[in-house]
């Protein structure tokens, strides 16, 4: 049954077969067929897009999941959006469940804020609206000059905990670092559970020793600054021994985060929790990138189960590690598409979500 007004077209790109699979699920829920489009690469690796049906005056939704070849994923998205724009589509909404380069959203030394660049490129290509899920930093929405709907996967993960973990009342929600404490607190308050925070783990921040700004000038200049004035140096951080703030003994430990990519920190956290007496350990995240040897490390670790959503394809990783489970989020994406196309309010999808969620 068609749940939308006329004039809706849904396209999927070629980044991964799972992108088309997610697109099919969304189209089935909306009662429409996927649009006809051909996306392929030339012999010289250039991306070519051919829209094979009329989109003039229609609302177009382009679904794109992020594969290992992130840059090709972005180019497919940009070219498809631009092709729809030059074909006179009324509106073009990008559906990127995982926003690429979202970790590069802050200035570090002499680097750049790449997520701002990606946002500008998408807007320039012709995107009029963006649907995404659990941005690494909510402030990324400010990089766009178009509406951005940052949906949440937490209701699906909370439902999984309640339905698939029989003794979840004996669980404690764990933040593997103080930076994840707000997310853990949100889960704990909704499930009426306790919270624990692991403090003192190895940080990813780069050392300032390699930065030229750490070195004092070779020539002492006192012309501009009074000799009696000295700029105070910031005291360097000293990482304390790893401690767990909160009781996990004899409990189920559920580690929550937004992205699980390099699993070293999760494996180390699981070992720490096991030493503190946790008898079962779950890891839950929205985006399961699971790069390199992540499946093997998970399989050999103290982690009992890793639960992620299908914002990113990970079928191959699931074959390598049976501990990895998937939660489908196509329902909320299809409802967002339906509401945007029909001009309905999106507030229903954000009910009970606070500023810190």
């Amino acid at each position: 049954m068609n749940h939308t007004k006329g004039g809706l077209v849904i396209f999927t790109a070629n980044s991964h077969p799972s992108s088309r699979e997610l697109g099919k699920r969304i189209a089935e829920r909306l009662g429409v067929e996927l649009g006809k489009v051909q996306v392929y690469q030339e012999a010289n690796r250039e991306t070519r897009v051919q829209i094979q049906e009329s989109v003039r005056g229609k609302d177009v939704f382009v679904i794109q999941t992020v594969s290992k070849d992130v840059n090709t994923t972005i180019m497919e998205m940009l070219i498809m959006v631009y092709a729809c724009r030059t074909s006179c589509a009324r509106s073009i909404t990008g559906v990127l469940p995982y926003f690429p380069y979202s970790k590069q959203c802050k200035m570090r030394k002499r680097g750049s804020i790449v997520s701002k660049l990606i946002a500008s490129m998408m807007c320039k290509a012709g995107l009029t609206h963006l649907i995404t899920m659990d941005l690494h930093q909510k402030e990324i929405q400010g990089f766009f000059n178009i509406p951005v709907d940052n949906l949440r996967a937490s209701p699906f993960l909370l439902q999984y905990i309640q339905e698939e973990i029989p003794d979840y009342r004996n669980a404690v929600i764990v933040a593997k670092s103080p930076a994840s404490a707000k997310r853990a607190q949100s889960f704990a308050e909704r499930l009426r559970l306790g919270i624990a925070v692991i403090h003192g783990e190895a940080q990813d921040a780069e050392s300032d020793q390699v930065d030229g700004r750490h070195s004092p000038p070779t020539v002492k200049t006192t012309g501009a600054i009074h000799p009696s004035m000295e700029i105070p140096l910031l005291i360097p951080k000293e990482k304390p021994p790893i401690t767990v703030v909160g009781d996990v003994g004899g409990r189920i430990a559920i580690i929550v985060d937004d992205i699980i990519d390099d699993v070293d920190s999760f494996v180390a956290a699981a070992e720490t929790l096991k030493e503190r007496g946790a008898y079962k350990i779950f890891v839950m995240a929205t985006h399961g990138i699971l790069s390199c040897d992540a499946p093997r490390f998970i399989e050999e670790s103290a982690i009992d189960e890793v639960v992620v959503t299908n914002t990113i394809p990970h079928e191959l990783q699931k074959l390598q590690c049976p501990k990895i489970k998937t939660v489908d989020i196509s329902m909320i994406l299809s409802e967002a598409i339906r509401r945007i196309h029909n001009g309905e309010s999106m507030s229903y999808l954000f009910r009970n979500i606070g500023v810190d969620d």
Side-chain angles (χ1 to χ4, degrees):
M1 179 180 175
N2 192 319
H3 298 285
T4 64
K5 300 175 182 176
L8 169 68
V9 182
I10 297 177
F11 291 127
T12 62
N14 274 3
S15 66
H16 195 277
S18 293
S19 180
R20 192 160 185 83
E21 180 61 32
L22 181 61
K24 283 181 179 178
R25 291 188 180 191
I26 292 172
E28 285 175 5
R29 290 182 182 277
L30 294 172
V32 299
E33 296 289 332
L34 283 178
K36 298 175 182 177
V37 61
Q38 190 176 16
V39 184
Y40 60 95
Q41 290 188 337
E42 303 278 9
N44 62 356
R45 303 291 292 171
E46 287 184 0
T47 300
R48 186 177 291 272
V49 172
Q50 293 287 343
I51 305 294
Q52 297 180 324
E53 63 178 84
S54 174
V55 295
R56 183 179 294 272
K58 295 182 179 180
D59 293 331
V60 176
F61 293 81
V62 180
I63 301 171
Q64 178 70 305
T65 56
V66 177
S67 66
K68 286 186 177 180
D69 191 351
V70 180
N71 297 327
T72 299
T73 295
I74 294 170
M75 285 307 300
E76 285 184 359
M77 179 79 179
L78 294 174
I79 295 173
M80 187 177 290
V81 168
Y82 189 65
C84 293
R85 175 185 174 184
T86 54
S87 298
C88 301
R90 183 174 68 178
S91 66
I92 308 165
T93 302
V95 183
L96 277 84
Y98 171 69
F99 186 72
Y101 285 94
S102 60
K103 284 189 174 183
Q104 298 188 47
C105 60
K106 295 180 180 180
M107 177 66 80
R108 288 194 177 186
K109 298 180 182 177
R110 299 182 186 89
S112 60
I113 305 176
V114 182
S115 53
K116 165 63 176 173
L117 172 63
I118 301 299
S120 300
M121 290 166 65
M122 289 182 176
C123 294
K124 191 68 175 177
L127 211 61
T128 59
H129 201 131
L130 178 68
I131 300 173
T132 187
M133 182 164 282
D134 281 334
L135 286 169
H136 187 56
Q137 297 288 340
K138 295 190 291 292
E139 292 76 11
I140 293 175
Q141 295 174 84
F143 295 161
F144 291 85
N145 54 15
I146 59 173
V148 176
D149 287 310
N150 181 28
L151 304 175
R152 305 297 196 275
S154 52
F156 297 92
L157 298 177
L158 290 168
Q159 184 181 39
Y160 185 93
I161 292 172
Q162 293 173 316
E163 295 180 356
E164 303 297 330
I165 304 178
D167 196 21
Y168 83 93
R169 289 293 180 188
N170 187 38
V172 59
I173 306 299
V174 179
K176 69 179 180 65
S177 69
S180 307
K182 280 188 177 180
R183 179 179 295 271
Q185 182 182 358
S186 175
F187 273 68
E189 290 175 350
R190 283 168 167 77
L191 293 169
R192 280 53 170 182
L193 299 176
I195 183 174
V197 180
I198 300 175
H199 180 53
E201 66 175 347
Q203 301 297 314
D204 293 331
E206 298 175 8
S207 172
D208 286 335
Q209 299 291 333
V210 297
D211 192 324
R213 291 174 296 180
H214 179 80
S215 305
T218 54
V219 180
K220 198 169 184 179
T221 57
T222 57
I225 303 177
H226 193 275
S228 64
M229 295 178 61
E230 281 192 26
I231 300 174
L233 293 176
L234 188 64
I235 299 172
K237 292 181 180 179
E238 185 174 335
K239 297 168 187 171
I242 293 179
T243 57
V244 179
V245 182
D247 181 24
V248 297
R251 313 282 286 278
I252 299 172
I254 304 175
I255 305 172
V256 296
D257 213 334
D258 63 328
I259 299 172
I260 177 168
D261 185 4
D262 181 4
V263 298
D264 289 348
S265 59
F266 291 93
V267 171
E271 292 175 356
T272 301
L273 294 170
K274 209 75 171 178
E275 291 171 1
R276 300 300 194 279
Y279 74 90
K280 206 164 188 181
I281 300 169
F282 291 79
V283 174
M284 311 202 88
T286 303
H287 310 295
I289 301 176
L290 302 170
S291 301
C292 302
D293 292 327
R296 179 172 62 84
F297 291 147
I298 293 170
E299 187 65 27
E300 297 171 356
S301 72
I303 298 171
D304 292 283
E305 195 168 287
V306 173
V307 183
V308 292
T309 71
N310 56 344
T311 57
I312 297 175
H314 50 263
E315 279 67 26
L316 181 60
Q317 289 90 330
K318 288 177 70 175
L319 293 174
Q320 297 171 339
C321 177
K323 291 182 180 181
I324 300 172
K325 309 296 180 184
T326 307
V327 176
D328 180 30
I329 44 82
S330 62
M331 180 187 297
I332 192 169
L333 293 175
S334 60
E335 180 62 14
I337 290 173
R338 188 192 69 80
R339 286 175 176 271
I340 291 171
H341 174 61
N342 291 341
E344 299 177 18
S345 171
M346 294 287 286
S347 60
Y348 178 80
L349 302 181
F350 295 95
R351 64 196 187 283
N352 299 328
I353 293 177
V355 176
D356 293 331
D357 291 330

